[in-house]
Amino acid sequence: MSYEITVEPTGDLIEVEEGQTILDAALRQGVWLPFACGHGTCATCKVQVLEGDADIGEASPFALMDMERDEGKILVCCARPESDMVIEADIDVDPDFKGFPVQDYSASVTQITDLSPTIRGIQLKLNRPMDFQAGQYINLQIPGVEGTRAFSIANAPGDNATIELHVRRVEGGAGTAWLHEQMQTGDSLALSGPFGQFFVRTSDNQDAIFLAGGSGLSSPQSMILDMLEQGDQRQIYLFQGARNLAELYNRELFETLAREHGHFHYIPALSAPEPGDGWQGFRGYVHEAAKQHFDNRFDGHKAYLCGPPPMIDAAISTLMQGRLFERDIHMERFVTAADGAAGPERSALFKRI
């Protein structure tokens, strides 16, 4: 049995199988609905039911309050229809978003690389090509771990039969523990994708600033590689932050790209270099490096931020103080399962989706 969901104001139609969430069905049919956490805790995917009935599922009482439930609001990431429905969503799809449908894939591990003491690079060969936009992510099923874990794609979409991941070891994290300690070349894994609204706005000709911290380099790496492969001639700046030199992974790759492309600029920053690092570059946090480089004036640029929440919030404050505002700032926060979410979410400093 399946149910038909009409999405207003776009008029999109979604076929939802019995027991399937509305969001899962929508993404698999190429229909974009706003979402972030994917499991009922952030309220990003809240919609109004105009007609029909649904089981609200495991929606958090903080994300979906009793009064809102009485008003007919649901969270599509965990709501399952019990009849045909009409819902009203606050949809603001960027014209540069390609909307590739989410699909399921199997993959084999072809290469494992220790990129830094805490970050591992994983190469996956897909059973069939996956169309995705640079900056998007996949949900990975990890053996013996309940649910899925979200990881950004680090390779450019030109090679859509391969997925490269950068996985940071999370203290107490069962998923990253398996990926760091037990996974071996030749293992088979299941995944789904692509997900996310983090991508380069190609229709905007402003120069691009990327700020990345830790394994948050993965999305900017994919985006920058794609821009260079496509012949994008905008000025591109990558500010990469790490604690010390050992954690500043893929430095050689970006130094090489900077030599080969005059419009690409690479500025690494170490917040706590070791005495033996012999570091002659910028000392401090990645947002401080950007502030110094641009003399605290960022207007006329698009900024793309990817990394842990404290880095994102510090970067947003710095950019806005330097006259860059919400319409030109795009981000992906890395929130671990231990933080209460398996996927990226939007900074609390921004109110709208």
Side-chain angles (χ1 to χ4, degrees):
M1 179 181 294
S2 64
Y3 301 104
E4 185 176 84
I5 310 299
T6 302
V7 182
E8 297 294 355
T10 62
D12 288 319
L13 297 178
I14 306 167
E15 290 292 330
V16 186
E17 299 296 327
E18 188 172 12
Q20 186 181 27
T21 67
I22 297 172
L23 178 63
D24 183 64
L27 295 178
R28 290 177 183 275
Q29 293 167 54
V31 176
W32 172 255
L33 293 175
F35 78 101
C37 74
H39 52 78
T41 61
C42 75
T44 303
C45 68
K46 190 180 298 179
V47 303
Q48 177 69 51
V49 176
L50 301 179
E51 297 178 18
D53 299 297
D55 180 346
I56 63 170
E58 298 180 358
S60 163
F62 300 101
L64 189 66
M65 296 182 290
D66 289 341
M67 178 180 66
E68 293 176 312
R69 300 176 191 220
D70 293 340
E71 293 172 348
K73 291 183 171 61
I74 59 172
L75 304 183
V76 293
C77 71
C78 52
R80 294 170 170 81
E82 296 179 327
S83 69
D84 292 344
M85 299 177 64
V86 179
I87 61 173
E88 184 177 37
D90 184 11
I91 299 175
D92 183 18
V93 179
D94 192 285
D96 291 319
F97 179 56
K98 295 181 179 179
F100 295 120
V102 171
Q103 299 183 52
D104 297 322
Y105 300 84
S106 60
S108 59
V109 180
T110 57
Q111 185 176 339
I112 301 171
T113 307
D114 289 328
L115 299 173
S116 83
T118 62
I119 298 171
R120 168 168 275 195
I122 302 170
Q123 294 278 352
L124 300 172
K125 183 69 174 179
L126 298 174
N127 63 319
R128 67 183 190 282
M130 174 196 293
D131 290 325
F132 67 92
Q133 284 184 264
Q136 292 190 295
Y137 67 94
I138 56 122
N139 280 339
L140 185 68
Q141 294 181 21
I142 301 173
V145 178
E146 184 178 357
T148 60
R149 297 293 184 267
F151 296 102
S152 292
I153 303 170
N155 56 292
D159 180 10
N160 62 1
T162 300
I163 294 294
E164 176 185 342
L165 307 177
H166 299 168
V167 179
R168 178 176 65 89
R169 174 67 189 267
V170 177
E171 188 68 29
T176 61
W178 189 92
L179 294 172
H180 274 254
E181 298 175 4
Q182 299 182 49
M183 183 184 61
Q184 297 182 9
T185 301
D187 283 347
S188 295
L189 297 171
L191 59 91
S192 58
F195 296 94
Q197 287 262 295
F198 189 55
F199 52 86
V200 174
R201 271 57 183 181
T202 55
S203 63
D204 191 304
N205 61 7
Q206 296 182 99
D207 294 337
I209 300 172
F210 293 89
L211 278 76
S215 61
L217 180 65
S218 50
S219 288
Q221 176 175 302
S222 174
M223 298 158 89
I224 291 168
L225 290 174
D226 188 47
M227 292 177 76
L228 296 176
E229 288 179 9
Q230 297 301 320
D232 195 311
Q233 291 302 306
R234 281 175 289 181
Q235 296 296 309
I236 305 169
Y237 302 85
L238 170 61
F239 295 87
Q240 181 188 4
R243 182 173 178 80
N244 52 50
L245 191 60
E247 292 291 347
L248 190 71
Y249 73 93
N250 282 4
R251 175 188 178 189
E252 295 79 6
L253 167 64
F254 295 108
E255 289 177 339
T256 299
L257 291 175
R259 289 192 298 268
E260 295 176 347
H261 302 273
H263 61 297
F264 173 64
H265 313 276
Y266 175 55
I267 304 95
L270 298 185
S271 60
E274 300 288 344
D277 286 344
W279 183 246
Q280 301 299 313
F282 184 86
R283 290 174 178 251
Y285 293 106
V286 66
H287 65 280
E288 296 170 336
K291 181 178 180 178
Q292 181 189 83
H293 186 89
F294 286 98
D295 196 24
N296 201 32
R297 286 299 300 267
F298 300 102
D299 47 322
H301 295 82
K302 278 280 189 185
Y304 302 90
L305 321 177
C306 194
M311 187 219 90
I312 295 293
D313 290 338
I316 291 171
S317 297
T318 297
L319 292 169
M320 296 186 77
Q321 289 167 12
R323 302 184 63 79
L324 195 69
F325 301 109
E326 180 177 353
R327 67 180 179 274
D328 290 320
I329 301 175
H330 309 277
M331 75 201 69
E332 186 173 70
R333 299 173 86 198
F334 273 28
V335 183
T336 70
D339 296 322
E345 65 177 46
R346 191 169 175 81
S347 171
L349 295 179
F350 282 175
K351 293 182 179 179
R352 69 177 178 83
I353 300 304

